[in-house]
Amino acid sequence: MKKTILLAATLLFSVSTQAQILDIIKSTVKNQTGVDLNNPKITTTTTPTATQQTSPKSSSPINLGSLTSTQISSGLKEALNLGVTEGVKKLAVTDGFLKNEAVKILMPEKLRVIDTKLRAFGLGSLADQGVKLLNRAAEDAVTESAPIFTKAITSMTITDAKNILLGGDNSATNYLQSKTQSQLFTAFQPKVKASLGKVGADKVWTQLISKYNTLTGQAVSTDLNEYVTNETINGVFKMVAEKESGIRNNSVMRTTSLLQKVFGAQD
């Protein structure tokens, strides 16, 4: 029993002594450094993140300050003239429409049931000939667009040009379409009508529709002149849009110093 009491006393003395020693150490540290070990302050070192270290990029993708108004206007006009000239040149040849899937004129939607029926009756060649001649009429008529486009491009204002340059891939084409659509239709319609007759499309389509009506007992009709006129105009704009997008997004297609300067500002 005495041994147990003695051991307990020894342990209590030891713990008490350690506590006293610890208090002395804390007091000494506080006096020498000012740091209170009973209430230590935790300091952390923050490492700048990648976001903090990176300077923000300019929100404007095009530096108009490096371009004069004249350069912007001239550059846009040059791009549109290239698009129109090259587009019309590609379309106004044999198979320019027919062999280009992007602009090929298909059978009018209203008459596509005719295509299915004629092929079912073994008259697929007649249907193919009808589609071919629609495209031949467009290839013959498309040259009429050039003077109308030229007039619209020439009349582009400085404000128009700036808005177009700051716009999307097809901004210039959309501008041109808004300025010329009605004029093109008026100019194209008589030309398309003449072209349909010139290539024999009118006669083939009269025969084609007549055959269908006889075979099915129905009576369908459509204004081929209006349809081919609209499809021809749409084909030209698709080609112009393709050229514009190429110039905007591919420096190799900027074939003059002016195009390089104007459209290079957006890179």
Side-chain angles (χ1 to χ4, degrees):
M1 183 68 177
K2 288 182 179 180
K3 289 183 178 180
T4 302
I5 294 172
L6 182 62
L7 179 60
T10 303
L11 288 173
L12 287 172
F13 176 78
S14 177
V15 171
S16 174
T17 302
Q18 290 177 9
Q20 289 176 1
I21 293 172
L22 183 59
D23 286 340
I24 292 171
I25 292 173
K26 289 180 179 179
S27 176
T28 303
V29 170
K30 185 174 182 179
N31 290 336
Q32 295 296 321
T33 67
V35 176
D36 186 356
L37 294 179
N38 288 322
N39 186 27
K41 293 182 179 180
I42 300 173
T43 58
T44 59
T45 302
T46 58
T47 302
T49 63
T51 302
Q52 292 172 325
Q53 294 173 339
T54 304
S55 300
K57 292 184 178 181
S58 171
S59 59
S60 175
I62 298 179
N63 180 18
L64 291 181
S66 65
L67 302 170
T68 67
S69 296
T70 300
Q71 286 173 330
I72 294 172
S73 177
S74 299
L76 264 297
K77 289 177 180 179
E78 186 170 322
L80 281 174
N81 272 315
L82 274 175
V84 169
T85 302
E86 292 185 14
V88 170
K89 184 178 180 181
K90 289 178 180 178
L91 295 175
V93 296
T94 301
D95 292 334
F97 274 86
L98 186 64
K99 295 294 179 67
N100 184 338
E101 291 301 322
V103 298
K104 180 180 178 180
I105 301 176
L106 304 176
M107 189 172 289
E109 186 173 354
K110 185 179 177 181
L111 301 182
R112 284 176 196 170
V113 64
I114 295 179
D115 183 271
T116 303
K117 289 291 185 182
L118 289 177
R119 293 184 190 283
F121 284 105
L123 298 173
S125 60
L126 181 58
D128 290 338
Q129 181 69 0
V131 170
K132 178 180 177 180
L133 292 178
L134 293 183
N135 286 273
R136 289 288 182 263
E139 292 156 8
D140 184 61
V142 72
T143 52
E144 292 294 307
S145 64
I148 298 171
F149 281 133
T150 299
K151 182 179 178 181
I153 293 170
T154 303
S155 64
M156 181 190 295
T157 67
I158 296 295
T159 301
D160 288 333
K162 286 183 177 180
N163 290 335
I164 290 168
L165 185 60
L166 292 168
D169 277 2
N170 297 334
S171 293
T173 305
N174 292 338
Y175 164 84
L176 196 60
Q177 190 165 7
S178 70
K179 296 292 183 182
T180 61
Q181 184 81 35
S182 60
Q183 290 175 293
L184 285 170
F185 187 87
T186 300
F188 261 34
Q189 200 166 29
K191 177 61 177 177
V192 168
K193 184 176 182 179
S195 296
L196 287 169
K198 179 180 176 181
V199 301
D202 53 351
K203 292 179 180 178
V204 169
W205 272 88
T206 297
Q207 180 186 7
L208 191 152
I209 293 173
S210 176
K211 285 236 181 233
Y212 173 79
N213 290 341
T214 300
L215 291 169
T216 62
Q218 298 183 25
V220 299
S221 63
T222 191
D223 187 341
L224 283 180
N225 189 11
E226 180 179 349
Y227 173 71
V228 175
T229 297
N230 282 322
E231 289 300 294
T232 304
I233 294 170
N234 291 339
V236 174
F237 283 125
K238 284 180 182 178
M239 298 299 287
V240 176
E242 183 180 285
K243 184 67 176 181
E244 179 190 355
S245 180
I247 291 174
R248 284 183 183 272
N249 298 301
N250 186 352
S251 60
V252 175
M253 295 185 68
R254 301 167 193 164
T255 53
T256 68
S257 58
L258 180 59
L259 290 177
Q260 291 165 6
K261 184 174 182 64
V262 172
F263 289 95
Q266 67 182 357
D267 293 341

